[in-house]
Amino acid sequence: MSMNKIVLFYGFTPLSDPEAIKLWQRALCEKLNLKGRIIISKDGINATVGGDIKDLKQYLKTTREYAGFRNMDIKWSDGTGDDFPRLSVKARDEIVSFGAPGELKVDENGVVGGGTHLKPEELHELVAAKESNGEEVVFFDGRNAFEAQIGKFKNAIVPDVDTTHDFIKELDSGKYDDLKDKPVVTYCTGGIRCEVLSSLMVNRGFKEVYQMDGGIVRYGETFKDKGLWEGSLYVFDKRMHMEFSDEAKEVGHCIRCNKPSNKFENCSNPSCRNLNLYCEECASAPETLQCPQGCTD
Ligand SMILES: [Zn+2]
Ligand SMILES: [Zn+2]
């Protein structure tokens, strides 16, 4: 019997020949009928791959035979077998595109000089410890701003970024300079964006930076909707969003009628690339599934 799963993992490690790793990974995935997206750079690997559980286990076993990839943390989730349209394996300047390939320092142990990793329990310990000193922990969203429309940490700061490329401009704008002396926790979906973001923040004088180990995914597995997380998690596959329990708060609203919604939809205008929240009713007709303020392109 076949069973479909998705694996998500990343590893920061120096790779002297990213092109060779790319060819190896592509051949391996093709042989095992896996689909998904893999990015390789001189600093490591970032992968989301789906397929049959047996094939995925073989894939991970082989991938981990490469010394630099041995200790990667793998996240498993359920797949449908139709989660990715194709296999894409690419070598790029960065495995997450911050537009700062020269700034990131990586060695055998991962990113050099990033924020302190916190496990979900350790995050709660930090918040409690700071609170008892009358200090507040600041949550800093490391994702694209739209993702926070359907869920984020309580009172989190959501930087004004359309893509990860905008973070440097945001950090250099001075907007967040008052946070430089405060305890700041960065968080993102699976942890990879925070590996880079937290190091960029440390480099820019943020004195006490933490990052959520394993991201929102790991936190949600641990505390579901009984902790500091509120709402749904945006995910980059066909599901578009996921909830950690039936108690998830619906924090998003339909852009047209303001009804609660956690479902992003593409505008019905084919030349418009805006992704917005629509309720089921507004999404059901092309006339209402369209930017209320007019489309931008
Ligand atoms: Zn609506
Ligand atoms: Zn539109």
Side-chain angles (χ1 to χ4, degrees), residues 122-137:
E122 293 172 325
L123 172 72
H124 284 200
E125 285 164 24
L126 176 78
V127 170
K130 294 292 178 186
E131 244 167 38
S132 68
N133 285 342
E135 260 188 291
E136 205 190 342
V137 171

Side-chain angles (χ1 to χ4, degrees), residues 253-269:
H253 294 279
C254 173
I255 191 173
R256 223 162 228 289
C257 71
N258 213 34
K259 250 184 237 154
S261 166
N262 52 18
K263 183 86 166 57
F264 285 99
E265 306 273 359
N266 285 109
C267 181
S268 64
N269 171 0

Side-chain angles (χ1 to χ4, degrees), residues 213-232:
D213 201 20
I216 302 159
V217 171
R218 177 72 31 84
Y219 182 89
E221 283 167 3
T222 310
F223 290 111
K224 308 269 191 300
D225 295 297
K226 299 192 181 306
L228 302 166
W229 173 258
E230 286 182 337
S232 304

Side-chain angles (χ1 to χ4, degrees), residues 8 74-77 120 143 153 187-191 212-224 229 233-235 239 242 244:
L8 198 132
I74 314 285
K75 292 190 188 72
W76 288 85
S77 58
R143 302 171 298 162
F153 276 88
Y187 67 89
C188 60
T189 313
M212 194 137 352
D213 201 20
I216 302 159
V217 171
R218 177 72 31 84
Y219 182 89
E221 283 167 3
T222 310
F223 290 111
K224 308 269 191 300
W229 173 258
L233 172 63
Y234 179 81
V235 290
R239 294 172 298 167
M242 60 168 285
F244 295 114

Side-chain angles (χ1 to χ4, degrees), residues 266-276 278 289-297:
N266 285 109
C267 181
S268 64
N269 171 0
S271 67
C272 174
R273 300 184 66 185
N274 288 338
L275 201 59
N276 282 308
Y278 289 94
L289 182 59
Q290 201 162 99
C291 305
Q293 252 62 298
C295 297
T296 51
D297 55 358

Side-chain angles (χ1 to χ4, degrees), residues 9-15 18 21 37-48 69 72 90-101 104 106 110-111 164 191-193 195-196:
F9 64 89
Y10 66 83
F12 285 94
T13 187
L15 299 177
I21 301 281
R37 190 162 156 267
I38 302 174
I39 300 170
I40 321 274
S41 83
K42 63 177 183 15
D43 299 322
I45 184 169
N46 179 15
T48 312
F69 298 158
M72 286 188 304
K90 290 191 168 124
R92 295 220 176 114
D93 284 347
E94 300 172 288
I95 55 173
V96 253
S97 184
F98 277 81
L104 193 69
V106 166
V111 173
T164 311
I192 184 171
R193 286 180 273 184
E195 298 274 1
V196 183

Side-chain angles (χ1 to χ4, degrees), residues 115-213:
T116 307
H117 289 86
L118 292 178
K119 299 209 156 55
E121 296 81 3
E122 293 172 325
L123 172 72
H124 284 200
E125 285 164 24
L126 176 78
V127 170
K130 294 292 178 186
E131 244 167 38
S132 68
N133 285 342
E135 260 188 291
E136 205 190 342
V137 171
V138 177
F139 287 87
F140 197 85
D141 203 306
R143 302 171 298 162
N144 300 333
F146 82 89
E147 299 176 55
Q149 286 176 17
I150 60 171
K152 62 182 175 73
F153 276 88
K154 233 171 251 173
N155 303 322
I157 289 175
V158 180
D160 183 19
V161 300
D162 288 335
T163 76
T164 311
H165 252 109
D166 298 334
F167 271 110
I168 292 200
K169 194 176 69 207
E170 276 287 287
L171 291 175
D172 290 342
S173 73
K175 266 190 214 174
Y176 308 108
D177 284 0
D178 60 321
L179 305 181
K180 286 185 173 172
D181 294 314
K182 293 184 180 168
V184 178
V185 178
T186 67
Y187 67 89
C188 60
T189 313
I192 184 171
R193 286 180 273 184
C194 289
E195 298 274 1
V196 183
L197 174 61
S198 70
S199 80
L200 297 175
M201 291 176 85
V202 170
N203 288 350
R204 281 161 181 73
F206 290 79
K207 293 188 188 69
E208 195 177 348
V209 183
Y210 303 88
Q211 56 179 315
M212 194 137 352
D213 201 20

